Amino acid sequence: KAHIRGAELAKAVILKQDDQLVMAVLPAPRPVSLDKFADVTGARTVALAHEDDFVAKFPGSESGAEPPLGELYDIVVYVDKRLAEDDEIAFNAGTHTDVIRMKYADYERITRPNVVDIAAGV
């Protein structure tokens, strides 16, 4: 596990789910399983979104450092169940050098994510 002062480090991955942008939030070292994602969400198609598809949705964020706060950007959030099991979560704050750390319960209250099993290799 990757941690920042005891908090699980999370990453946001932007996906195209049936031509709609959605956000998958996973433990930083784990890739998203597109097959698992399709199964648990009932999607017909799932693919990694191209940066050109979503960069405008995250003004002020560095590419690849989008914060996993999809609710603020009008993007549905799916969080891997492993993150929901931890007391705290840490994630990029729109840059590759700034990190936000908070109680997972607060993160959940802010983002209202769908908690699912979407990490590959687990």
Side-chain angles (χ1 to χ4, degrees), residues 10-57:
K11 67 179 175 188
V13 178
I14 310 301
L15 303 172
K16 273 191 143 177
Q17 174 193 29
D18 299 332
D19 295 322
Q20 176 184 350
L21 291 177
V22 297
M23 180 179 285
V25 182
L26 305 120
R30 298 218 179 262
V32 63
S33 167
L34 299 180
D35 290 336
K36 277 185 175 181
F37 190 90
D39 286 345
V40 299
T41 63
R44 290 183 310 279
T45 61
V46 178
L48 294 173
H50 296 302
E51 186 176 327
D52 294 345
D53 295 331
F54 64 83
V55 70
K57 280 219 171 256

Tab-separated table of all heavy atoms in Angstrom, residues 10-57:
chain	number	residue	atom	x	y	z
A	10	ALA	N	-4.669	7.560	-2.904
A	10	ALA	CA	-5.629	7.219	-3.952
A	10	ALA	C	-5.298	7.972	-5.234
A	10	ALA	O	-4.649	9.013	-5.211
A	10	ALA	CB	-7.038	7.586	-3.497
A	11	LYS	N	-5.762	7.418	-6.352
A	11	LYS	CA	-5.613	8.102	-7.638
A	11	LYS	C	-6.956	8.091	-8.348
A	11	LYS	O	-7.790	7.211	-8.118
A	11	LYS	CB	-4.567	7.415	-8.506
A	11	LYS	CG	-4.974	6.015	-8.968
A	11	LYS	CD	-3.919	5.388	-9.841
A	11	LYS	CE	-4.299	3.959	-10.190
A	11	LYS	NZ	-3.230	3.266	-10.881
A	12	ALA	N	-7.142	9.086	-9.186
A	12	ALA	CA	-8.358	9.173	-10.000
A	12	ALA	C	-8.016	8.751	-11.424
A	12	ALA	O	-7.010	9.181	-11.977
A	12	ALA	CB	-8.892	10.598	-9.993
A	13	VAL	N	-8.863	7.911	-11.985
A	13	VAL	CA	-8.725	7.483	-13.373
A	13	VAL	C	-10.030	7.856	-14.071
A	13	VAL	O	-11.111	7.486	-13.605
A	13	VAL	CB	-8.482	5.960	-13.470
A	13	VAL	CG1	-8.380	5.520	-14.926
A	13	VAL	CG2	-7.230	5.561	-12.702
A	14	ILE	N	-9.917	8.587	-15.166
A	14	ILE	CA	-11.122	9.005	-15.893
A	14	ILE	C	-11.408	7.965	-16.973
A	14	ILE	O	-10.533	7.599	-17.761
A	14	ILE	CB	-10.943	10.396	-16.526
A	14	ILE	CG1	-10.427	11.403	-15.503
A	14	ILE	CG2	-12.267	10.867	-17.135
A	14	ILE	CD1	-11.301	11.593	-14.288
A	15	LEU	N	-12.648	7.497	-16.971
A	15	LEU	CA	-13.084	6.471	-17.915
A	15	LEU	C	-14.235	6.982	-18.766
A	15	LEU	O	-14.948	7.912	-18.371
A	15	LEU	CB	-13.573	5.234	-17.149
A	15	LEU	CG	-12.599	4.573	-16.184
A	15	LEU	CD1	-13.312	3.490	-15.387
A	15	LEU	CD2	-11.407	4.010	-16.930
A	16	LYS	N	-14.411	6.345	-19.906
A	16	LYS	CA	-15.614	6.549	-20.714
A	16	LYS	C	-16.474	5.314	-20.511
A	16	LYS	O	-16.071	4.210	-20.862
A	16	LYS	CB	-15.264	6.716	-22.189
A	16	LYS	CG	-14.950	8.119	-22.576
A	16	LYS	CD	-14.891	8.230	-24.065
A	16	LYS	CE	-15.473	9.549	-24.477
A	16	LYS	NZ	-15.381	9.748	-25.920
A	17	GLN	N	-17.618	5.514	-19.908
A	17	GLN	CA	-18.568	4.431	-19.654
A	17	GLN	C	-19.777	4.700	-20.544
A	17	GLN	O	-20.514	5.676	-20.318
A	17	GLN	CB	-18.973	4.431	-18.182
A	17	GLN	CG	-20.063	3.449	-17.854
A	17	GLN	CD	-20.637	3.700	-16.473
A	17	GLN	OE1	-20.650	4.812	-15.976
A	17	GLN	NE2	-21.123	2.648	-15.856
A	18	ASP	N	-19.956	3.875	-21.565
A	18	ASP	CA	-21.054	4.080	-22.504
A	18	ASP	C	-21.114	5.536	-22.965
A	18	ASP	O	-22.163	6.178	-22.937
A	18	ASP	CB	-22.395	3.658	-21.881
A	18	ASP	CG	-22.424	2.188	-21.495
A	18	ASP	OD1	-21.702	1.394	-22.129
A	18	ASP	OD2	-23.158	1.835	-20.557
A	19	ASP	N	-19.975	6.086	-23.363
A	19	ASP	CA	-19.824	7.456	-23.880
A	19	ASP	C	-20.064	8.560	-22.854
A	19	ASP	O	-20.242	9.713	-23.206
A	19	ASP	CB	-20.721	7.683	-25.103
A	19	ASP	CG	-20.305	6.805	-26.279
A	19	ASP	OD1	-19.084	6.616	-26.460
A	19	ASP	OD2	-21.188	6.306	-26.990
A	20	GLN	N	-20.067	8.221	-21.578
A	20	GLN	CA	-20.179	9.211	-20.512
A	20	GLN	C	-18.891	9.175	-19.693
A	20	GLN	O	-18.366	8.106	-19.403
A	20	GLN	CB	-21.369	8.888	-19.599
A	20	GLN	CG	-21.500	9.800	-18.417
A	20	GLN	CD	-22.631	9.369	-17.494
A	20	GLN	OE1	-23.428	8.494	-17.816
A	20	GLN	NE2	-22.689	9.982	-16.329
A	21	LEU	N	-18.370	10.339	-19.320
A	21	LEU	CA	-17.180	10.375	-18.481
A	21	LEU	C	-17.546	10.035	-17.046
A	21	LEU	O	-18.527	10.555	-16.506
A	21	LEU	CB	-16.524	11.763	-18.521
A	21	LEU	CG	-15.867	12.161	-19.826
A	21	LEU	CD1	-15.327	13.589	-19.720
A	21	LEU	CD2	-14.753	11.202	-20.204
A	22	VAL	N	-16.773	9.152	-16.438
A	22	VAL	CA	-16.926	8.785	-15.030
A	22	VAL	C	-15.537	8.721	-14.420
A	22	VAL	O	-14.532	8.670	-15.125
A	22	VAL	CB	-17.671	7.435	-14.840
A	22	VAL	CG1	-19.094	7.507	-15.377
A	22	VAL	CG2	-16.903	6.292	-15.474
A	23	MET	N	-15.489	8.719	-13.097
A	23	MET	CA	-14.217	8.700	-12.389
A	23	MET	C	-14.112	7.434	-11.555
A	23	MET	O	-15.012	7.134	-10.766
A	23	MET	CB	-14.122	9.933	-11.490
A	23	MET	CG	-12.843	10.030	-10.696
A	23	MET	SD	-12.801	11.535	-9.672
A	23	MET	CE	-12.476	12.763	-10.929
A	24	ALA	N	-13.015	6.720	-11.730
A	24	ALA	CA	-12.706	5.564	-10.892
A	24	ALA	C	-11.604	6.000	-9.931
A	24	ALA	O	-10.602	6.573	-10.356
A	24	ALA	CB	-12.227	4.396	-11.750
A	25	VAL	N	-11.803	5.756	-8.640
A	25	VAL	CA	-10.826	6.139	-7.622
A	25	VAL	C	-10.306	4.851	-6.992
A	25	VAL	O	-11.095	4.050	-6.480
A	25	VAL	CB	-11.459	7.070	-6.566
A	25	VAL	CG1	-10.411	7.504	-5.551
A	25	VAL	CG2	-12.098	8.277	-7.242
A	26	LEU	N	-8.987	4.668	-7.071
A	26	LEU	CA	-8.371	3.410	-6.651
A	26	LEU	C	-7.152	3.651	-5.776
A	26	LEU	O	-6.573	4.739	-5.814
A	26	LEU	CB	-7.881	2.654	-7.888
A	26	LEU	CG	-8.904	2.392	-8.952
A	26	LEU	CD1	-8.495	3.015	-10.242
A	26	LEU	CD2	-9.077	0.917	-9.114
A	27	PRO	N	-6.735	2.608	-5.030
A	27	PRO	CA	-5.443	2.708	-4.362
A	27	PRO	C	-4.381	2.999	-5.431
A	27	PRO	O	-4.382	2.377	-6.502
A	27	PRO	CB	-5.246	1.324	-3.749
A	27	PRO	CG	-6.636	0.794	-3.574
A	27	PRO	CD	-7.404	1.333	-4.756
A	28	ALA	N	-3.499	3.940	-5.165
A	28	ALA	CA	-2.549	4.418	-6.175
A	28	ALA	C	-1.766	3.320	-6.895
A	28	ALA	O	-1.573	3.412	-8.109
A	28	ALA	CB	-1.596	5.434	-5.560
A	29	PRO	N	-1.303	2.261	-6.209
A	29	PRO	CA	-0.508	1.265	-6.933
A	29	PRO	C	-1.320	0.327	-7.827
A	29	PRO	O	-0.754	-0.423	-8.609
A	29	PRO	CB	0.166	0.448	-5.826
A	29	PRO	CG	-0.193	1.068	-4.529
A	29	PRO	CD	-1.285	2.043	-4.778
A	30	ARG	N	-2.622	0.344	-7.725
A	30	ARG	CA	-3.448	-0.631	-8.458
A	30	ARG	C	-4.084	-0.032	-9.701
A	30	ARG	O	-4.649	1.053	-9.645
A	30	ARG	CB	-4.551	-1.153	-7.556
A	30	ARG	CG	-4.039	-1.880	-6.352
A	30	ARG	CD	-4.929	-3.051	-6.078
A	30	ARG	NE	-4.461	-3.791	-4.932
A	30	ARG	CZ	-3.734	-4.884	-5.026
A	30	ARG	NH1	-3.390	-5.355	-6.186
A	30	ARG	NH2	-3.359	-5.520	-3.942
A	31	PRO	N	-4.037	-0.772	-10.814
A	31	PRO	CA	-4.759	-0.314	-12.007
A	31	PRO	C	-6.242	-0.661	-11.901
A	31	PRO	O	-6.637	-1.534	-11.130
A	31	PRO	CB	-4.099	-1.106	-13.141
A	31	PRO	CG	-3.577	-2.333	-12.484
A	31	PRO	CD	-3.230	-1.953	-11.062
A	32	VAL	N	-7.052	0.035	-12.684
A	32	VAL	CA	-8.471	-0.291	-12.749
A	32	VAL	C	-8.641	-1.496	-13.671
A	32	VAL	O	-7.953	-1.622	-14.681
A	32	VAL	CB	-9.302	0.920	-13.240
A	32	VAL	CG1	-8.929	1.315	-14.654
A	32	VAL	CG2	-10.794	0.642	-13.132
A	33	SER	N	-9.548	-2.385	-13.304
A	33	SER	CA	-9.910	-3.503	-14.173
A	33	SER	C	-11.135	-3.073	-14.967
A	33	SER	O	-12.220	-2.915	-14.396
A	33	SER	CB	-10.236	-4.752	-13.350
A	33	SER	OG	-10.864	-5.720	-14.180
A	34	LEU	N	-10.967	-2.870	-16.259
A	34	LEU	CA	-12.090	-2.438	-17.088
A	34	LEU	C	-13.185	-3.499	-17.125
A	34	LEU	O	-14.374	-3.175	-17.162
A	34	LEU	CB	-11.609	-2.080	-18.491
A	34	LEU	CG	-10.589	-0.935	-18.568
A	34	LEU	CD1	-10.182	-0.679	-20.016
A	34	LEU	CD2	-11.117	0.327	-17.915
A	35	ASP	N	-12.797	-4.781	-17.095
A	35	ASP	CA	-13.790	-5.856	-17.081
A	35	ASP	C	-14.611	-5.827	-15.790
A	35	ASP	O	-15.840	-5.930	-15.822
A	35	ASP	CB	-13.124	-7.220	-17.244
A	35	ASP	CG	-12.556	-7.427	-18.648
A	35	ASP	OD1	-13.044	-6.766	-19.595
A	35	ASP	OD2	-11.629	-8.234	-18.787
A	36	LYS	N	-13.920	-5.698	-14.645
A	36	LYS	CA	-14.640	-5.623	-13.366
A	36	LYS	C	-15.547	-4.403	-13.343
A	36	LYS	O	-16.688	-4.463	-12.885
A	36	LYS	CB	-13.660	-5.507	-12.189
A	36	LYS	CG	-13.083	-6.781	-11.682
A	36	LYS	CD	-12.251	-6.458	-10.441
A	36	LYS	CE	-11.698	-7.662	-9.759
A	36	LYS	NZ	-10.935	-7.311	-8.554
A	37	PHE	N	-15.031	-3.276	-13.843
A	37	PHE	CA	-15.816	-2.046	-13.851
A	37	PHE	C	-17.094	-2.240	-14.660
A	37	PHE	O	-18.177	-1.872	-14.217
A	37	PHE	CB	-14.984	-0.876	-14.407
A	37	PHE	CG	-15.659	0.447	-14.215
A	37	PHE	CD1	-15.436	1.192	-13.069
A	37	PHE	CD2	-16.530	0.943	-15.164
A	37	PHE	CE1	-16.072	2.409	-12.867
A	37	PHE	CE2	-17.171	2.148	-14.992
A	37	PHE	CZ	-16.945	2.887	-13.832
A	38	ALA	N	-16.974	-2.816	-15.838
A	38	ALA	CA	-18.153	-3.058	-16.680
A	38	ALA	C	-19.137	-3.984	-15.976
A	38	ALA	O	-20.351	-3.751	-15.997
A	38	ALA	CB	-17.730	-3.634	-18.028
A	39	ASP	N	-18.614	-5.028	-15.328
A	39	ASP	CA	-19.484	-5.986	-14.639
A	39	ASP	C	-20.264	-5.335	-13.498
A	39	ASP	O	-21.465	-5.519	-13.380
A	39	ASP	CB	-18.679	-7.162	-14.082
A	39	ASP	CG	-18.214	-8.123	-15.162
A	39	ASP	OD1	-18.727	-8.056	-16.302
A	39	ASP	OD2	-17.318	-8.945	-14.867
A	40	VAL	N	-19.570	-4.579	-12.643
A	40	VAL	CA	-20.242	-4.032	-11.454
A	40	VAL	C	-21.134	-2.836	-11.768
A	40	VAL	O	-22.050	-2.546	-11.010
A	40	VAL	CB	-19.260	-3.666	-10.319
A	40	VAL	CG1	-18.497	-4.887	-9.845
A	40	VAL	CG2	-18.327	-2.551	-10.704
A	41	THR	N	-20.879	-2.160	-12.901
A	41	THR	CA	-21.705	-0.994	-13.236
A	41	THR	C	-22.760	-1.302	-14.290
A	41	THR	O	-23.639	-0.486	-14.540
A	41	THR	CB	-20.836	0.171	-13.750
A	41	THR	OG1	-20.193	-0.221	-14.972
A	41	THR	CG2	-19.817	0.599	-12.706
A	42	GLY	N	-22.652	-2.474	-14.931
A	42	GLY	CA	-23.610	-2.818	-15.981
A	42	GLY	C	-23.358	-2.066	-17.279
A	42	GLY	O	-24.235	-2.004	-18.144
A	43	ALA	N	-22.169	-1.513	-17.435
A	43	ALA	CA	-21.842	-0.747	-18.641
A	43	ALA	C	-21.704	-1.668	-19.848
A	43	ALA	O	-21.236	-2.791	-19.732
A	43	ALA	CB	-20.539	0.026	-18.436
A	44	ARG	N	-22.115	-1.173	-20.992
A	44	ARG	CA	-21.914	-1.922	-22.240
A	44	ARG	C	-20.468	-1.788	-22.697
A	44	ARG	O	-19.860	-2.742	-23.153
A	44	ARG	CB	-22.861	-1.414	-23.330
A	44	ARG	CG	-24.325	-1.768	-23.070
A	44	ARG	CD	-25.238	-1.316	-24.211
A	44	ARG	NE	-25.054	0.081	-24.612
A	44	ARG	CZ	-25.587	1.135	-23.979
A	44	ARG	NH1	-26.332	0.953	-22.916
A	44	ARG	NH2	-25.382	2.358	-24.412
A	45	THR	N	-19.917	-0.568	-22.587
A	45	THR	CA	-18.533	-0.333	-22.977
A	45	THR	C	-17.825	0.499	-21.916
A	45	THR	O	-18.427	1.390	-21.314
A	45	THR	CB	-18.430	0.412	-24.328
A	45	THR	OG1	-19.066	1.679	-24.217
A	45	THR	CG2	-19.078	-0.385	-25.450
A	46	VAL	N	-16.566	0.196	-21.675
A	46	VAL	CA	-15.729	0.946	-20.740
A	46	VAL	C	-14.335	1.041	-21.349
A	46	VAL	O	-13.791	0.044	-21.821
A	46	VAL	CB	-15.626	0.262	-19.360
A	46	VAL	CG1	-14.698	1.055	-18.444
A	46	VAL	CG2	-16.984	0.094	-18.720
A	47	ALA	N	-13.789	2.243	-21.341
A	47	ALA	CA	-12.433	2.459	-21.848
A	47	ALA	C	-11.802	3.606	-21.081
A	47	ALA	O	-12.507	4.447	-20.502
A	47	ALA	CB	-12.473	2.788	-23.338
A	48	LEU	N	-10.477	3.626	-21.065
A	48	LEU	CA	-9.780	4.768	-20.494
A	48	LEU	C	-10.088	5.978	-21.363
A	48	LEU	O	-10.049	5.890	-22.592
A	48	LEU	CB	-8.276	4.525	-20.463
A	48	LEU	CG	-7.791	3.409	-19.535
A	48	LEU	CD1	-6.297	3.177	-19.739
A	48	LEU	CD2	-8.082	3.744	-18.085
A	49	ALA	N	-10.402	7.097	-20.740
A	49	ALA	CA	-10.665	8.322	-21.492
A	49	ALA	C	-9.344	8.932	-21.939
A	49	ALA	O	-8.328	8.810	-21.254
A	49	ALA	CB	-11.438	9.311	-20.628
A	50	HIS	N	-9.366	9.572	-23.080
A	50	HIS	CA	-8.197	10.305	-23.549
A	50	HIS	C	-8.178	11.665	-22.870
A	50	HIS	O	-9.224	12.248	-22.592
A	50	HIS	CB	-8.232	10.483	-25.066
A	50	HIS	CG	-8.159	9.196	-25.813
A	50	HIS	ND1	-7.115	8.307	-25.673
A	50	HIS	CD2	-9.002	8.630	-26.698
A	50	HIS	CE1	-7.323	7.262	-26.451
A	50	HIS	NE2	-8.470	7.427	-27.076
A	51	GLU	N	-6.994	12.160	-22.605
A	51	GLU	CA	-6.858	13.450	-21.923
A	51	GLU	C	-7.686	14.545	-22.602
A	51	GLU	O	-8.295	15.369	-21.937
A	51	GLU	CB	-5.388	13.848	-21.882
A	51	GLU	CG	-5.128	15.095	-21.076
A	51	GLU	CD	-3.650	15.406	-20.986
A	51	GLU	OE1	-2.830	14.476	-20.958
A	51	GLU	OE2	-3.337	16.603	-20.951
A	52	ASP	N	-7.724	14.539	-23.920
A	52	ASP	CA	-8.500	15.547	-24.650
A	52	ASP	C	-9.980	15.504	-24.300
A	52	ASP	O	-10.682	16.504	-24.423
A	52	ASP	CB	-8.340	15.360	-26.162
A	52	ASP	CG	-6.933	15.637	-26.652
A	52	ASP	OD1	-6.142	16.250	-25.903
A	52	ASP	OD2	-6.613	15.229	-27.786
A	53	ASP	N	-10.474	14.339	-23.863
A	53	ASP	CA	-11.882	14.183	-23.522
A	53	ASP	C	-12.253	14.854	-22.212
A	53	ASP	O	-13.413	15.177	-21.992
A	53	ASP	CB	-12.256	12.693	-23.409
A	53	ASP	CG	-12.134	11.955	-24.722
A	53	ASP	OD1	-12.300	12.589	-25.788
A	53	ASP	OD2	-11.870	10.738	-24.687
A	54	PHE	N	-11.274	15.037	-21.305
A	54	PHE	CA	-11.630	15.518	-19.970
A	54	PHE	C	-10.813	16.688	-19.438
A	54	PHE	O	-11.164	17.258	-18.408
A	54	PHE	CB	-11.579	14.369	-18.955
A	54	PHE	CG	-10.230	13.767	-18.734
A	54	PHE	CD1	-9.324	14.339	-17.851
A	54	PHE	CD2	-9.861	12.612	-19.408
A	54	PHE	CE1	-8.079	13.769	-17.645
A	54	PHE	CE2	-8.620	12.035	-19.203
A	54	PHE	CZ	-7.722	12.619	-18.316
A	55	VAL	N	-9.759	17.078	-20.098
A	55	VAL	CA	-8.885	18.121	-19.549
A	55	VAL	C	-9.659	19.408	-19.247
A	55	VAL	O	-9.411	20.066	-18.235
A	55	VAL	CB	-7.664	18.370	-20.459
A	55	VAL	CG1	-8.054	19.036	-21.769
A	55	VAL	CG2	-6.620	19.185	-19.728
A	56	ALA	N	-10.630	19.763	-20.063
A	56	ALA	CA	-11.401	20.994	-19.840
A	56	ALA	C	-12.288	20.916	-18.605
A	56	ALA	O	-12.671	21.939	-18.043
A	56	ALA	CB	-12.251	21.307	-21.078
A	57	LYS	N	-12.609	19.713	-18.159
A	57	LYS	CA	-13.447	19.542	-16.961
A	57	LYS	C	-12.697	19.862	-15.676
A	57	LYS	O	-13.314	20.047	-14.636
A	57	LYS	CB	-13.971	18.108	-16.884
A	57	LYS	CG	-15.153	17.850	-17.767
A	57	LYS	CD	-16.099	16.956	-16.996
A	57	LYS	CE	-17.410	16.785	-17.652
A	57	LYS	NZ	-18.471	17.547	-17.053
